[in-house]
Amino acid sequence: MEYEEDQTLATHEQELRRGTVVFASLVACRRPQYGYSLLSTLTEAGIQTEANTLYPLLRRLEKQGLLTAEWNTEQARPRKYYTVTERGGEVAAALHSNWLALDSSITKLWKEGTR
Amino acid sequence: MTALTDLYIDTVVRRLPEDSRGDIADEIRATINDMVEARLGGDDSDAARVEREVLEEMGDPAVLAREYSNSPQHLIGPASYPLFLWCMRRVLPIVAVVTLLINALAHSLTTPEVQLGSLLGAAIGNTVMAVLATFAVITILLALGDHGLSPNAKTIPREEAKWSVDQLQSTDPAVSQNRLEAICSLVILVILAAVPFIPTTLLYVGHLNNGETFINPDLAPGWLAGYWLLLGLIAVVESVKLIRGTTPPALLLIGGAIDVVLAVFLTVAMLTQKVIHPGLQSAAGPDLQQIIIVVAVWIIVIWDQISTWRSIRAAR
């Protein structure tokens, strides 16, 4: 029973995080980031992300025109840097507004439910 | 970078389109190197263990490749599933009925002495094959459509996707039940109407009257005409039920009345005429045989009347 409850919580947490990682990646890529630096930035910010999810996600965001990618070969090790595009910045701003509205709504609902 | 990492990267990228392999391989390689380097922190003594740890954290190469390819991992996706269900519910029954009828007809016309077993075997066997083939074709076509052969299909609003309140009645289980009953009744009526034409060989008793029909050939044609007329009236009532999807009490009463008239008609015919073919009359006497048929007819009619009465009460 406890195992089932843990599994249910894990599934819902995963659902909740899925969209958050896109938003967080767009926000973090306002300055150029390569894959591992972005992973570290997100982890340090408290947004748990798995490497095998993040890299394919960055590629999809690049295909959608929300990020640009460029190989930097000047360093000892070539790295692919991702930067948010103008369109990506607009999407991030819209997601941020939604995020604040949702936060406000959930807070209100939570307060009403605990009265 | 070791052969193990190379093997991991090769295993990932060989599942991906050729034009993206090089770029993704470079990206994964850079990532793995960064992760290994960060964990080693300058001390390379434990490099092999850390590399294994990082590769295991990257996960199953097949899963990673799937994430990169972003291709659908289902045969029929949510966008096409309602259409798939609609096809299964509407197209398959139609194919089954049409194939069954065509095969039964073709077998009857091409076989010199039709027997029930061979008729059912040929018709049902071919019908099962036709239904399976239709199922496969529908599934493959929708899967192809769902997997991008018709990219515009998802953006075109489908007619069946527009729901209206009018659909409520047609999806009501009671309506479906009514229609199913009407279809069954019509099938039984067709079989009953065909009785005067069915050769005795069909039921393996052709040797009793040289493969003639079950009905006495000397029976006056008026009796057969009356029989078909009454069956025709019942068929009209059942057709109305089929079209409307509901059975108003008045229609139930009319249907019940025609049933009784048919029972009376058959009783009179059985008690006054030699209806059964003389070759099929039992040693116990033709009268007893026909009386048994009359009793059976009335049992069915009384049962039907009770059902009708219950339906009217339930409708109130």
Side-chain angles (χ1 to χ4, degrees):
Chain A
M1 191 67 186
E2 197 175 318
Y3 173 76
E4 277 180 20
E5 281 174 9
D6 288 348
Q7 284 294 105
T8 307
L9 177 62
T11 306
H12 288 305
E13 280 179 342
Q14 193 183 18
E15 291 285 324
L16 198 60
R17 271 205 303 266
R18 195 167 288 164
T20 313
V21 175
V22 173
F23 175 35
S25 299
L26 290 175
V27 173
C29 285
R30 284 180 297 176
R31 63 181 175 86
Q33 299 260 18
Y34 59 92
Y36 187 69
S37 72
L38 178 61
L39 189 67
S40 305
T41 304
L42 294 180
T43 306
E44 282 165 19
I47 298 166
Q48 291 298 321
T49 316
E50 288 168 0
N52 54 12
T53 309
L54 184 66
Y55 299 108
L57 171 71
L58 291 174
R59 209 172 173 80
R60 281 202 289 281
L61 294 176
E62 184 195 351
K63 276 188 182 169
Q64 290 168 4
L66 304 181
L67 294 177
T68 53
E70 200 175 354
W71 279 100
N72 183 335
T73 51
E74 290 168 7
Q75 298 168 352
R77 182 179 298 151
R79 283 174 175 141
K80 195 175 187 181
Y81 279 81
Y82 291 93
T83 315
V84 75
T85 61
E86 192 180 331
R87 170 83 187 121
E90 289 167 6
V91 169
L95 290 175
H96 189 226
S97 301
N98 276 311
W99 178 272
L100 293 177
L102 273 173
D103 180 49
S104 165
S105 304
I106 291 288
T107 306
K108 191 177 163 205
L109 278 174
W110 187 264
K111 280 179 183 170
E112 283 173 1
T114 50
R115 265 178 204 162
Chain B
M1 182 62 57
T2 70
L4 193 63
T5 299
D6 283 336
L7 178 63
Y8 181 87
I9 293 168
D10 284 346
T11 313
V12 174
V13 297
R14 74 172 179 229
R15 293 177 161 88
L16 297 169
E18 210 164 333
D19 56 347
S20 64
R21 285 179 189 172
D23 193 51
I24 291 175
D26 288 344
E27 192 173 24
I28 298 173
R29 187 171 285 113
T31 300
I32 292 169
N33 284 337
D34 282 334
M35 288 170 82
V36 170
E37 192 178 277
R39 287 176 196 199
L40 285 174
D43 176 15
D44 289 352
S45 60
D46 214 7
R49 185 188 60 77
V50 171
E51 186 185 13
R52 288 185 71 90
E53 196 181 282
V54 166
L55 292 181
E56 279 171 7
E57 197 175 312
M58 293 295 286
D60 185 342
V63 176
L64 186 57
R66 204 164 61 211
E67 290 279 344
Y68 268 111
S69 67
N70 200 28
S71 57
Q73 302 297 311
H74 50 253
L75 196 60
I76 307 285
S80 303
Y81 191 65
L83 180 61
F84 175 74
L85 274 187
W86 183 88
C87 288
M88 292 295 123
R89 286 175 181 158
R90 302 290 172 94
V91 178
L92 287 191
I94 292 170
V95 168
V97 171
V98 170
T99 315
L100 197 66
L101 292 176
I102 288 174
N103 277 285
L105 191 66
H107 184 81
S108 306
L109 295 175
T110 55
T111 310
E113 192 173 288
V114 184
Q115 293 186 326
L116 187 61
S118 62
L119 177 71
L120 289 177
I124 292 173
N126 288 334
T127 302
V128 169
M129 293 304 291
V131 168
L132 287 176
T134 310
F135 174 80
V137 168
I138 289 172
T139 307
I140 291 168
L141 285 179
L142 284 178
L144 288 175
D146 213 53
H147 286 245
L149 283 189
S150 57
N152 296 330
K154 286 173 190 167
T155 57
I156 298 169
R158 293 196 192 106
E159 202 57 38
E160 66 272 11
K162 289 179 188 168
W163 185 84
S164 99
V165 178
D166 298 334
Q167 284 174 265
L168 273 179
Q169 196 184 29
S170 62
T171 54
D172 184 347
V175 171
S176 304
Q177 178 72 21
N178 245 313
R179 290 202 162 124
L180 187 66
E181 284 176 12
I183 290 169
C184 291
S185 299
L186 285 168
V187 170
I188 292 169
L189 287 170
V190 169
I191 294 169
L192 287 175
V195 165
F197 302 112
I198 294 173
T200 49
T201 49
L202 184 72
L203 297 178
Y204 307 97
V205 288
H207 59 282
L208 295 177
N209 66 348
N210 298 321
E212 290 186 22
T213 66
F214 288 88
I215 305 302
N216 184 358
D218 296 330
L219 185 69
W223 289 102
L224 284 178
Y227 172 68
W228 284 325
L229 175 69
L230 289 166
L231 288 182
L233 288 174
I234 298 172
V236 169
V237 172
E238 294 301 328
S239 301
V240 172
K241 277 168 70 174
L242 180 66
I243 294 164
R244 288 176 57 114
T246 56
T247 316
L251 197 65
L252 277 172
L253 286 172
I254 293 170
I258 299 172
D259 283 350
V260 173
V261 173
L262 178 63
V264 171
F265 176 85
L266 290 175
T267 304
V268 174
M270 288 288 177
L271 297 181
T272 62
Q273 307 293 314
K274 300 277 183 218
V275 178
I276 307 293
H277 193 288
L280 303 174
Q281 287 168 359
S282 68
D287 290 344
L288 179 64
Q289 203 173 27
Q290 299 206 156
I291 286 168
I292 291 170
I293 294 173
V294 168
V295 170
V297 165
W298 278 104
I299 288 172
I300 295 169
V301 168
I302 290 168
W303 180 262
D304 197 41
Q305 296 305 306
I306 292 170
S307 303
T308 306
W309 181 72
R310 281 181 176 165
S311 300
I312 292 173
R313 281 196 61 173
R316 279 179 185 168

